[in-house]
Amino acid sequence: METTHKLQMLSDASQYDLACACGTNDKDRRKRGEDGAWLYPVSLPSGGYSIMLKTLMSNVCVNDCRYCPYRSTADVPRCTIGPDEMAKTYLEYVRSKKVFGLFLSSGVTGTPDNTMRLLNDTARILRTKYAYRGHIHLKIIPGASDAAIEDALGLANAVSLNIETPGQHHFSKLSSRKDYIKDIIGPLRLISALTAKESRYPKVRKTTQFIVGASDENDSEIVKYTAGLYNKLRLNRVYFSAYQRGLGDQSIPGEKHIPPNKDQTFMREHRLYQTDFLIRKYSFTEQDIYYDKTGNLSLESDPKRVWADHHPEFFPVSLRNADKNTLLRVPGIGPETAGKIIRLRKERSIKRIDDLPLRGKRLELARKYVTG
């Protein structure tokens, strides 16, 4: 099989792993390159966006993850790209200025460490043979040894290991070959320790991903684990990928409980991203999030507005003297707008909401919760 054909097949297989770009707006949605490979826009630490080539090294896999279309029992075409071949192919993208970085993942070929060798050797060839100093994101394979994980941290700018579900109870319904504590939680703790400020790799970013709806977890369980991943393991980002009916084994809970309406499936994912943003950027805590009687977020209203409607005593917020954290509790006002309001107050008095740097629906939403 030609390299181009392999890359098209393997990059297509990587589309279900979002642990580098969440695709919530037109700026960061993926697109296909001219050769069919998936290219992912990702936000840069300095601001703005650039493009990353995202692919598997192999879609051969010994694991039985029942939500995955490439599980060991699935009847799909299989192929593998070797480290030298992948490194050369990626450099062609770099030289033609099509991409700024590389996201490498893989199915588990043989053993976790054998698979990590494919990923790490590709990065090592780029770093040493070709003196490549650009962005490399490596997937940590569940069950990889401590040595393989540390090797990856020494080669990559970012790593990710997917937590998949909130807890062993839900995880056991999706895989019989992986041990949740040993293969996933243990390595996540090691990555956290090795990337701490005082450790060897403090600049390496670390992310993870939940497969939302493959098991029968509710949103409150996911949010609880998400808060723990930020507070205890100091992860930089948590991503959420909605399970889509028909991708996995018919026996998993998601095939029975997932809403028949796809819009509801992706709205659930969207609400989790909104909740994640409140926790990361708005100083909300896990206790500030409200759920329905089933433990799930509202699909009709965003979680910030739900909080506001549960706390009428907090409003209206004064635009003249509220601090930033108070302004961030107002539906329709985000970190950028809150900063603009505070800067604007230094120049002149804000007497009415129409003086705010807001327009359209956000202005009308905020109008209900503020006063001059």
Side-chain angles (χ1 to χ4, degrees):
M1 189 183 299
E2 292 183 358
T3 300
T4 300
H5 189 192
K6 286 183 183 179
L7 186 62
Q8 182 174 350
M9 183 185 298
L10 293 172
S11 66
D12 201 48
S14 74
Q15 66 180 294
Y16 305 105
D17 191 337
L18 305 180
C20 66
C22 58
T24 55
N25 59 53
D26 290 337
K27 289 184 178 179
D28 59 9
R29 286 198 178 102
R30 66 188 183 181
K31 62 179 181 179
R32 281 194 184 275
E34 294 176 358
D35 55 4
W38 285 110
L39 304 177
Y40 278 69
V42 292
S43 57
L44 299 174
S46 57
Y49 288 83
S50 196
I51 302 296
M52 178 181 291
L53 173 66
K54 184 162 173 284
T55 185
L56 302 184
M57 294 287 294
S58 176
N59 64 0
V60 176
C61 194
V62 301
N63 282 335
D64 65 342
C65 304
R66 297 186 183 105
Y67 62 83
C68 180
Y70 296 94
R71 60 194 180 279
S72 59
T73 56
D75 183 15
V76 295
R78 309 280 184 173
C79 68
T80 300
I81 293 182
D84 281 303
E85 188 178 8
M86 179 62 78
K88 290 177 182 177
T89 301
Y90 173 64
L91 282 177
E92 292 176 8
Y93 276 83
V94 173
R95 288 164 182 160
S96 62
K97 299 184 178 179
K98 293 180 179 179
V99 299
F100 103 104
L102 176 65
F103 181 109
L104 278 182
S105 184
S106 183
V108 182
T109 60
T111 67
D113 271 15
N114 180 65
T115 310
M116 286 302 304
R117 195 173 302 113
L118 288 175
L119 301 170
N120 291 348
D121 284 354
T122 301
R124 198 179 339 273
I125 289 168
L126 287 168
R127 297 297 195 207
T128 58
K129 184 176 180 179
Y130 298 109
Y132 177 69
R133 296 294 176 262
H135 186 87
I136 297 177
H137 183 136
L138 294 178
K139 180 62 65 178
I140 302 299
I141 304 300
S145 67
D146 293 359
I149 293 172
E150 185 159 6
D151 190 26
L153 290 169
L155 294 163
N157 304 93
V159 298
S160 55
L161 195 167
N162 290 349
I163 192 169
E164 302 183 26
T165 69
Q168 171 68 40
H169 170 68
H170 296 295
F171 188 81
S172 64
K173 299 177 182 180
L174 303 180
S175 176
S176 64
R177 296 184 183 176
K178 292 188 292 187
D179 184 295
Y180 189 72
I181 301 301
K182 176 177 176 290
D183 296 339
I184 293 180
I185 300 302
L188 281 172
R189 287 173 175 159
L190 176 64
I191 292 167
S192 176
L194 292 175
T195 55
K197 287 183 180 180
E198 67 279 4
S199 194
R200 294 185 61 185
Y201 311 104
K203 294 183 179 180
V204 177
R205 285 179 56 83
K206 46 200 178 293
T207 66
T208 193
Q209 174 179 272
F210 287 97
I211 310 299
V212 178
S215 189
D216 51 4
E217 80 290 332
N218 60 34
D219 293 339
S220 66
E221 293 174 289
I222 294 176
V223 173
K224 179 180 180 179
Y225 267 72
T226 297
L229 289 166
Y230 287 133
N231 297 330
K232 297 177 182 178
L233 298 185
R234 302 183 301 278
L235 264 65
N236 297 99
R237 280 297 305 272
V238 174
Y239 292 88
F240 309 95
S241 180
Y243 175 73
Q244 300 171 54
R245 178 179 279 119
L247 291 180
D249 189 293
Q250 294 298 305
S251 66
I252 65 173
E255 288 294 325
K256 300 176 183 177
H257 300 298
I258 194 169
N261 186 332
K262 279 190 176 182
D263 289 342
Q264 289 182 308
T265 297
F266 289 109
M267 180 54 72
R268 183 185 180 192
E269 176 189 290
H270 182 59
R271 294 294 186 228
L272 285 165
Y273 273 117
Q274 290 177 317
T275 302
D276 169 82
F277 202 74
L278 292 181
I279 292 172
R280 286 190 301 113
K281 298 291 187 179
Y282 288 71
S283 300
F284 276 59
T285 67
E286 179 191 342
Q287 289 70 37
D288 289 324
I289 308 302
Y290 286 86
Y291 308 94
D292 64 20
K293 61 183 180 181
T294 67
N296 289 307
L297 297 163
S298 169
L299 297 181
E300 287 70 40
S301 186
D302 72 80
K304 186 178 181 183
R305 188 171 180 179
V306 171
W307 182 89
D309 291 343
H310 274 82
H311 292 276
E313 78 286 352
F314 191 85
F315 301 98
V317 167
S318 172
L319 296 173
R320 296 186 181 187
N321 52 33
D323 62 22
K324 186 174 182 179
N325 283 339
T326 300
L327 289 170
L328 286 176
R329 295 279 167 161
V330 177
I333 293 180
E336 185 176 340
T337 301
K340 287 181 179 179
I341 291 171
I342 292 173
R343 291 192 296 272
L344 186 62
R345 288 195 312 221
K346 295 178 181 179
E347 302 172 4
R348 57 187 172 85
S349 176
I350 299 178
K351 298 181 179 179
R352 56 196 182 97
I353 191 172
D354 296 285
D355 294 332
L356 293 181
L358 286 173
R359 296 292 182 271
K361 292 181 179 180
R362 291 177 61 214
L363 175 62
E364 293 309 309
L365 179 59
R367 190 185 296 277
K368 304 175 184 178
Y369 301 95
V370 298
T371 186

